[in-house]
Amino acid sequence: MARTEATLPGGARLADYLAVGYLALNCSLGEVKEALVKCGVHTRLRRDMPREVLVYFVMAMCLYPRVAYEEVFRLVIEGLRRIYGDQVRDAQVSKAAISQGRARLGWQVMRELFARQAAQRPRTAGDDYAGYRVMSVDGSTLDVPDEKVNAEAFGYAQGGRGEAAYPQIRFVALAECATHALCEVQMGGVCDDSEHALTRQLFPAFPDDMLVLADRLFYGYDMWRDAVATGAKLLWRVKSNLRLPCEVPLADGSYLSTVYASDTDRRHQRNGMRVR
């Protein structure tokens, strides 16, 4: 993707180093090295570009999307050294060397670190309602660089005006409503993977102490049945044409109803699920 600024405006500031330091404090160098070893991509030779620095570089690119790779890399090294000292060694950087290093690093280590961070995140005040952790499921798409491997893996979205300019990733995330922190994410191709299919892959992350919200496009009889089977409590919007007759009025103004897989099941009063 094109960048319009090659350097940090005004040079690196203390706040920039603090931003890198904050990343390092929340995702420690020890954790990064463990993830690199687990994924089999840790630095083996002293002359190699440090893989642990590359990990923080990938994180920092999200903070400085319009700054040249070399500038961000130097900022990351200096910021890490302010915390870890000589544990972080210098490296000769160029755009080509960084690109090659990222290719060798791969994506698995970033996925591993994300999973570790999400699992370690403590619950905070405001997360809960009536004892349940309030979460939300939603999906979106992201453009990725227009490269052959991305096109083959994810594909191009199709519209009324033809094919999109960039390949796109489709993703569905389970997010904490209070903090908007993403706790679990499933990704796929925009052409081959539906939001419903990706959402099903999130179901193992639905414990019984969770209240999960979702928009109306996620509801379907089979989807609802399988989500309920996880033990989590569900609060999902539904389309206005869904038949929900009032069967048992409740004191708070809500009522109980029953959903069925088909009109035939409704007529025979079978395979129904009670909903409020």
Side-chain angles (χ1 to χ4, degrees), residues 151 153-158 163 168 170 188-194:
F154 306 116
Y156 297 86
Q158 303 293 326
E163 191 174 76
Q168 287 186 326
R170 187 188 303 281
V190 71
C191 297
D192 299 327
D193 297 286
S194 68

Side-chain angles (χ1 to χ4, degrees), residues 100-150:
Q100 292 168 9
R102 290 177 62 197
R104 290 192 294 268
L105 180 68
W107 59 267
Q108 291 87 348
V109 65
M110 304 307 298
R111 179 84 183 189
E112 173 67 19
L113 285 169
F114 172 82
R116 291 180 179 222
Q117 290 293 302
Q120 294 171 7
R121 191 193 173 283
R123 293 171 69 167
T124 57
D127 288 352
D128 293 359
Y129 172 75
Y132 293 100
R133 188 181 183 188
V134 183
M135 310 293 287
S136 180
V137 170
D138 207 353
S140 188
T141 58
L142 292 172
D143 291 343
V144 294
D146 190 11
E147 300 172 353
K148 182 179 178 180
V149 291
N150 287 334

